[in-house]
Amino acid sequence: SSSRTSTHPRRPFTRPSNSLPSYAPPPPLSHSLRAFGHLVLTAIVVAHNTQCRLPAAIPVAEKKKYARSLLKILGLESIANRVIGVNAADGISADQRKRVTIGVEMAADPAILFLDEPTSGLDSFGAERVMTAVRNIAGRGTSVVCTIHQPSATIFGMFTHLLLLKKGGFLTYFGPIGKSEGDYSALLDYFSAM
Protein backbone atom coordinates (compact mmCIF):
# COMPACT_ATOMS: atom_id res chain seq x y z
CA SER A 1 0.00 0.00 0.00
CA SER A 2 1.45 3.33 -0.99
CA SER A 3 1.31 6.32 1.31
CA ARG A 4 2.06 10.00 1.25
CA THR A 5 3.58 12.14 3.95
CA SER A 6 2.03 15.51 4.59
CA THR A 7 4.33 18.45 3.98
CA HIS A 8 2.17 20.82 5.98
CA PRO A 9 4.06 21.66 9.22
CA ARG A 10 1.01 20.95 11.38
CA ARG A 11 0.07 17.75 9.57
CA PRO A 12 2.81 15.34 10.63
CA PHE A 13 1.08 12.07 9.84
CA THR A 14 1.69 9.69 6.98
CA ARG A 15 -1.67 8.94 5.52
CA PRO A 16 -2.74 6.02 3.29
CA SER A 17 -3.12 7.09 -0.32
CA ASN A 18 -6.82 6.17 -0.22
CA SER A 19 -7.44 8.73 2.54
CA LEU A 20 -11.14 9.47 2.79
CA PRO A 21 -12.89 12.72 3.63
CA SER A 22 -14.78 13.00 6.88
CA TYR A 23 -18.33 14.20 7.52
CA ALA A 24 -19.49 15.72 10.80
CA PRO A 25 -23.28 15.31 11.02
CA PRO A 26 -25.51 18.20 12.08
CA PRO A 27 -26.75 16.63 15.36
CA PRO A 28 -24.67 17.70 18.36
CA LEU A 29 -23.11 14.25 18.83
CA SER A 30 -23.27 10.95 17.04
CA HIS A 31 -25.72 8.37 18.37
CA SER A 32 -23.01 6.39 20.17
CA LEU A 33 -21.70 9.49 21.93
CA ARG A 34 -25.18 10.59 22.94
CA ALA A 35 -25.82 7.20 24.47
CA PHE A 36 -22.66 7.34 26.57
CA GLY A 37 -22.11 11.12 26.67
CA HIS A 38 -23.13 11.52 30.28
CA LEU A 39 -20.25 9.21 31.29
CA VAL A 40 -17.48 10.45 29.02
CA LEU A 41 -14.96 13.27 29.40
CA THR A 42 -14.33 15.56 26.42
CA ALA A 43 -10.61 14.73 26.19
CA ILE A 44 -11.26 10.99 26.36
CA VAL A 45 -13.70 11.14 23.43
CA VAL A 46 -11.18 12.93 21.20
CA ALA A 47 -8.21 10.82 22.37
CA HIS A 48 -10.07 7.52 21.97
CA ASN A 49 -11.18 8.37 18.44
CA THR A 50 -7.65 9.43 17.54
CA GLN A 51 -6.31 6.09 18.81
CA CYS A 52 -8.92 4.15 16.82
CA ARG A 53 -8.97 6.10 13.59
CA LEU A 54 -5.33 6.92 12.82
CA PRO A 55 -3.20 4.22 11.17
CA ALA A 56 -1.61 1.65 13.49
CA ALA A 57 1.82 2.61 12.12
CA ILE A 58 1.62 5.97 13.92
CA PRO A 59 3.13 5.69 17.42
CA VAL A 60 0.72 6.05 20.35
CA ALA A 61 2.68 9.08 21.65
CA GLU A 62 2.12 10.86 18.32
CA LYS A 63 -1.58 10.03 18.42
CA LYS A 64 -1.86 11.47 21.93
CA LYS A 65 0.00 14.59 20.83
CA TYR A 66 -2.39 14.96 17.88
CA ALA A 67 -5.42 14.54 20.18
CA ARG A 68 -4.09 17.32 22.45
CA SER A 69 -3.52 19.55 19.42
CA LEU A 70 -7.14 18.95 18.34
CA LEU A 71 -8.41 20.09 21.74
CA LYS A 72 -6.40 23.29 21.31
CA ILE A 73 -7.48 23.90 17.71
CA LEU A 74 -11.12 23.38 18.67
CA GLY A 75 -10.90 25.61 21.75
CA LEU A 76 -11.72 22.71 24.07
CA GLU A 77 -8.61 22.68 26.29
CA SER A 78 -10.38 24.40 29.18
CA ILE A 79 -13.10 21.74 29.25
CA ALA A 80 -10.93 18.70 28.49
CA ASN A 81 -11.73 17.14 31.87
CA ARG A 82 -15.43 18.01 31.88
CA VAL A 83 -18.10 15.38 31.48
CA ILE A 84 -20.00 15.80 28.22
CA GLY A 85 -23.36 15.24 29.91
CA VAL A 86 -26.79 15.38 28.35
CA ASN A 87 -27.15 19.18 28.38
CA ALA A 88 -25.32 22.27 29.63
CA ALA A 89 -26.75 21.83 33.13
CA ASP A 90 -24.90 18.55 33.66
CA GLY A 91 -22.13 18.85 31.07
CA ILE A 92 -20.93 21.06 28.27
CA SER A 93 -22.73 23.68 26.16
CA ALA A 94 -24.29 23.14 22.72
CA ASP A 95 -21.42 24.78 20.84
CA GLN A 96 -18.89 22.75 22.82
CA ARG A 97 -20.78 19.58 21.85
CA LYS A 98 -20.61 20.59 18.19
CA ARG A 99 -16.87 21.17 18.52
CA VAL A 100 -16.45 17.74 20.17
CA THR A 101 -18.36 16.20 17.22
CA ILE A 102 -16.00 17.97 14.82
CA GLY A 103 -13.06 16.72 16.93
CA VAL A 104 -14.30 13.15 16.59
CA GLU A 105 -14.23 13.51 12.80
CA MET A 106 -10.87 15.29 12.87
CA ALA A 107 -9.45 12.35 14.85
CA ALA A 108 -9.06 10.54 11.51
CA ASP A 109 -6.94 13.46 10.19
CA PRO A 110 -9.10 13.73 7.06
CA ALA A 111 -7.94 15.49 3.92
CA ILE A 112 -11.39 17.10 3.59
CA LEU A 113 -13.92 17.80 6.33
CA PHE A 114 -17.56 18.19 5.31
CA LEU A 115 -19.81 20.09 7.73
CA ASP A 116 -23.55 20.33 7.31
CA GLU A 117 -24.87 23.47 9.01
CA PRO A 118 -22.46 23.41 11.97
CA THR A 119 -24.03 26.56 13.46
CA SER A 120 -27.67 25.49 13.38
CA GLY A 121 -29.38 25.72 16.75
CA LEU A 122 -26.68 27.93 18.25
CA ASP A 123 -26.82 31.51 19.46
CA SER A 124 -24.53 34.03 17.74
CA PHE A 125 -21.75 33.61 20.32
CA GLY A 126 -21.76 29.81 20.05
CA ALA A 127 -21.94 29.94 16.25
CA GLU A 128 -18.90 32.21 16.16
CA ARG A 129 -16.93 29.88 18.46
CA VAL A 130 -17.75 26.89 16.24
CA MET A 131 -16.76 28.74 13.08
CA THR A 132 -13.55 29.99 14.69
CA ALA A 133 -12.70 26.33 15.37
CA VAL A 134 -13.53 25.51 11.73
CA ARG A 135 -11.27 28.33 10.56
CA ASN A 136 -8.48 26.92 12.79
CA ILE A 137 -8.95 23.51 11.16
CA ALA A 138 -8.64 25.05 7.70
CA GLY A 139 -5.58 26.98 8.89
CA ARG A 140 -3.80 23.74 9.74
CA GLY A 141 -4.16 22.50 6.16
CA THR A 142 -7.44 20.56 6.15
CA SER A 143 -9.86 21.54 3.40
CA VAL A 144 -13.31 22.32 4.81
CA VAL A 145 -16.56 22.26 2.83
CA CYS A 146 -19.43 23.70 4.80
CA THR A 147 -23.12 24.44 4.22
CA ILE A 148 -24.45 27.36 6.15
CA HIS A 149 -27.72 29.27 6.03
CA GLN A 150 -28.04 32.96 6.82
CA PRO A 151 -24.64 33.51 8.44
CA SER A 152 -23.96 36.69 10.35
CA ALA A 153 -21.57 39.18 8.74
CA THR A 154 -18.85 38.05 11.16
CA ILE A 155 -19.24 34.39 10.25
CA PHE A 156 -19.58 35.11 6.51
CA GLY A 157 -16.31 37.04 6.74
CA MET A 158 -14.51 33.89 7.91
CA PHE A 159 -15.09 32.11 4.60
CA THR A 160 -12.60 32.31 1.73
CA HIS A 161 -14.74 30.90 -1.09
CA LEU A 162 -18.44 30.75 -1.86
CA LEU A 163 -20.59 28.36 -3.86
CA LEU A 164 -23.97 30.07 -4.24
CA LEU A 165 -26.87 28.16 -5.75
CA LYS A 166 -30.28 29.42 -6.76
CA LYS A 167 -33.57 27.57 -6.78
CA GLY A 168 -33.28 24.32 -8.68
CA GLY A 169 -29.60 23.91 -7.79
CA PHE A 170 -28.36 26.20 -10.55
CA LEU A 171 -24.97 27.81 -10.05
CA THR A 172 -25.07 31.54 -9.30
CA TYR A 173 -21.51 32.10 -8.11
CA PHE A 174 -18.46 30.01 -7.33
CA GLY A 175 -15.17 31.61 -6.42
CA PRO A 176 -13.26 33.64 -3.87
CA ILE A 177 -15.09 36.08 -1.63
CA GLY A 178 -12.19 38.50 -1.30
CA LYS A 179 -8.45 38.75 -0.82
CA SER A 180 -8.44 38.37 2.98
CA GLU A 181 -10.76 37.69 5.90
CA GLY A 182 -13.60 40.18 5.99
CA ASP A 183 -12.91 41.38 2.43
CA TYR A 184 -15.85 40.91 0.06
CA SER A 185 -14.32 42.66 -2.96
CA ALA A 186 -14.26 39.68 -5.38
CA LEU A 187 -17.87 38.84 -4.65
CA LEU A 188 -19.02 42.46 -4.88
CA ASP A 189 -17.09 43.00 -8.13
CA TYR A 190 -18.75 39.93 -9.66
CA PHE A 191 -22.29 40.99 -8.78
CA SER A 192 -21.76 44.65 -9.64
CA ALA A 193 -20.61 43.62 -13.13
CA MET A 194 -23.89 41.78 -13.81
Side-chain angles (χ1 to χ4, degrees), residues 115-119 131 146-152 155-156 159:
L115 299 171
D116 186 13
E117 299 186 44
T119 61
M131 291 312 297
C146 178
T147 60
I148 193 160
H149 296 274
Q150 299 178 332
S152 68
I155 290 174
F156 187 77
F159 288 90

Side-chain angles (χ1 to χ4, degrees), residues 23 26-27 39 54 57 71 95 104 123 125 144 159 161 183 185:
Y23 170 71
L39 304 172
L54 289 175
L71 291 173
D95 73 271
V104 166
D123 61 18
F125 180 69
V144 178
F159 288 90
H161 288 75
D183 172 29
S185 61

